[in-house]
Amino acid sequence: MSEPSDQSDDQFDDIVDAETRDPDLAVIEAGSRTLRTQGGQPQGDPVPSRPEDPELDKALREVETELSTRWGETKLEPSVTRIAALMDVLGEPQRAYPSIHITGTNGKTSTARMIEALLGAFELRTGRYTSPHVQTITERISLDGAPISAERFVETYQDVKPYVELVDAREEYRLSFFEVLTGMAYAAFADAPVDVAVVEVGMGGTWDATNVIDASVAVVTPIDLDHTDRLGGTTAEIAGEKSGIIKQGATVILAQQPVDAAQVLLKKAVEADATVAREGMEFGIVSREVAVGGQLLTLRGLGGEYDGVFLPLHGAYQAHNAAVALAAVEAFFGIGADHARTLDPDTVRRAFAQVASPGRMEIVRSSPTVILDAAHNPHGARATAEGVSEAFGFSRLVGVVSTSGDKDARGLLEAFEPIFAEVVITANSNPRATDVDALAAIAVEVFGEDRVVVEPRLDDAIEAAITLAEEEAEYGGAGVLVTGSIFTVGDARLLLRRG
């Protein structure tokens, strides 16, 4: 395996030593300062930064510390008993508003953001709950299209904490990290109050903590193999778990699915007397053209066609997400069932034109272009590879990859092998990140030794990838793609975009 020449780390280490805050974040922030002159500062960044007020930042960190003592999102006891108990003592806040519930393997967060933008454009107050976060925990709970403030996040936690402790004392297991956050989201939405909640499952559906809502619209994005140790080894088994969000009499919006998964979902819909709308049948994409900064779409909704829709996101998969989101919002408004009409086309166009999805084919630097994408499984990696090839046409693309230990790293690397000239293997700040040497060994088997570089520290990995991308002075046609995990993308975003 080749390695770029060593560079002095003195300045980086000095900054880390001087940091008085969280050690892991100190490393990331120090790297940020070494790369900032290359990356620049974003305008209108939809991802919040840490609070500037030291006292508020301290309070937020105390909440994060308390939450970290609970079961993490990868340790599960498949039951909604505890979250149902919490909802009960909180007064059932999740029943104070209608909701749209989203499950699937990939595309959930982007679809949720599109649904939120559409609902907001029609002057509804929205609450959005998504996971995991890219950089800051407050991203998970949004009101009116923006993450709640750190102050409100802390206040919400303090409000629900006594009830959380009451449930902890009663149950065999304490509420998990994700269960507490879910309770906070539902409470925050009721307190706002919101007109509609857009809720993304954490994992699966049937026993996911979010599944205490009675959503009138259930959305299933494409299902593929992921979390097979918990959800099942086939797409049909996984669909069985995810179909648990389909409630009696709901409308089900189905993205294109593997045949066996579709059969399971349709059977569940029949049992629940639910109305089904299928992508490619009742709704879908009429036409799609690559455009500067995104793509231009004509979408067929449940009520008719919408032309001239500009979506400022790259990749065919995002166009499919847009079709699903539009159908979900139409269903929420009763279009296709109670009303034979379309939504106002101009409002739809305005909503899609303002959609952002941080960490999903997100450009954070130019010359060479650096793209961040949170693909973390083979299905997502294939979609990203196709999207990058279509939208950018790089003559030389270098990958920076760090995966989580429970993911199919080989399948992900194989999906990217055709488009990467070289790959830089590294680590992210998450304790579950795949061991660098183990990941490098897989990369060598997939790419060959001469196409693999190892840089254990992410800031060094990004610098190495930029150097490799520019190696032949192809500034106009060179690019870097940072991918493999939402944690990798979050760390890279801090490195390249923090001011």
Side-chain angles (χ1 to χ4, degrees), residues 226-248:
D226 199 11
H227 300 296
T228 54
D229 56 331
R230 297 177 178 87
L231 302 180
T234 68
T235 49
E237 291 175 338
I238 293 171
E241 291 293 341
K242 293 183 182 293
S243 70
I245 73 165
I246 298 173
K247 304 298 170 59
Q248 193 71 27

Side-chain angles (χ1 to χ4, degrees), residues 81-418:
T81 301
R82 292 176 304 281
I83 187 67
L86 180 60
M87 293 298 99
D88 181 55
V89 297
L90 287 174
E92 304 291 348
Q94 82 282 13
R95 305 198 186 283
Y97 38 80
S99 53
I100 298 174
H101 208 176
I102 306 169
T103 190
T105 300
N106 290 307
K108 297 186 294 295
T109 298
S110 293
T111 302
R113 285 180 171 273
M114 293 178 194
I115 291 172
E116 173 189 52
L118 284 163
L119 293 169
F122 285 99
E123 300 184 351
L124 293 182
R125 288 210 73 186
T126 57
R128 173 173 52 83
Y129 181 52
T130 52
S131 60
H133 55 276
V134 178
Q135 286 177 200
T136 306
I137 195 169
T138 56
E139 296 167 38
R140 296 182 180 229
I141 305 172
S142 290
L143 294 172
D144 293 323
I148 64 173
S149 66
E151 183 176 20
R152 191 162 191 171
F153 187 91
V154 172
E155 289 173 350
T156 302
Y157 176 76
Q158 296 300 338
D159 286 344
V160 304
K161 183 178 178 180
Y163 302 96
V164 167
E165 292 173 345
L166 180 64
V167 174
D168 284 344
R170 293 177 177 177
E171 298 295 326
E172 181 179 2
Y173 303 107
R174 297 171 70 214
L175 287 154
S176 70
F177 169 88
F178 187 71
E179 287 169 333
V180 175
L181 278 177
T182 301
M184 289 172 59
Y186 290 160
F189 296 162
D191 185 60
V194 302
D195 297 315
V196 54
V198 182
V199 179
E200 174 190 334
V201 303
M203 185 185 299
T206 301
W207 40 260
D208 187 74
T210 62
N211 202 29
V212 289
I213 54 174
D214 189 12
S216 61
V217 179
V219 177
V220 187
T221 66
I223 290 175
D224 208 275
L225 298 180
D226 199 11
H227 300 296
T228 54
D229 56 331
R230 297 177 178 87
L231 302 180
T234 68
T235 49
E237 291 175 338
I238 293 171
E241 291 293 341
K242 293 183 182 293
S243 70
I245 73 165
I246 298 173
K247 304 298 170 59
Q248 193 71 27
T251 299
V252 185
I253 306 299
L254 292 184
Q256 292 178 348
Q257 303 291 346
V259 173
D260 63 345
Q263 291 173 337
V264 171
L265 293 165
L266 291 171
K267 181 176 183 293
K268 173 67 174 183
V270 170
E271 293 171 353
D273 195 26
T275 302
V276 178
R278 300 154 294 178
E279 184 183 6
M281 300 290 286
E282 286 76 23
F283 70 93
I285 301 169
V286 176
S287 66
R288 187 178 76 88
E289 300 176 20
V290 177
V292 176
Q295 48 196 312
L296 191 64
L297 311 174
T298 296
L299 300 175
R300 178 165 51 84
L302 303 179
E305 288 192 6
Y306 303 79
D307 61 5
V309 176
F310 175 69
L311 182 67
L313 302 173
H314 300 286
Y317 69 98
Q318 293 288 21
H320 289 286
N321 291 340
V324 169
L326 176 61
V329 172
E330 285 184 312
F332 181 79
F333 284 120
I335 292 175
D338 301 332
H339 307 290
R341 60 178 176 82
T342 64
L343 297 172
D344 178 65
D346 288 336
T347 304
V348 169
R349 294 186 191 104
R350 185 171 69 252
F352 276 120
Q354 65 185 18
V355 168
S357 193
R360 279 76 179 176
M361 293 275 283
E362 181 184 19
I363 301 171
V364 292
R365 180 202 143 126
S366 58
S367 298
T369 300
V370 177
I371 303 167
L372 307 181
D373 192 86
H376 58 276
N377 54 45
H379 180 264
R382 289 191 295 271
T384 296
E386 291 171 5
V388 169
S389 298
E390 174 189 78
F392 298 97
F394 292 121
S395 59
R396 183 181 183 85
L397 179 65
V398 179
V400 176
V401 177
S402 173
T403 63
S404 293
D406 58 344
K407 299 297 181 180
D408 180 3
R410 181 180 296 276
L412 182 140
L413 289 169
E414 287 175 345
F416 283 124
E417 188 277 332

Side-chain angles (χ1 to χ4, degrees), residues 7-23:
Q7 298 182 5
S8 173
D9 293 331
D10 292 345
Q11 182 180 10
F12 183 94
D13 292 334
D14 288 344
I15 296 171
V16 173
D17 291 340
E19 277 288 349
T20 59
R21 292 182 288 179
D22 180 79

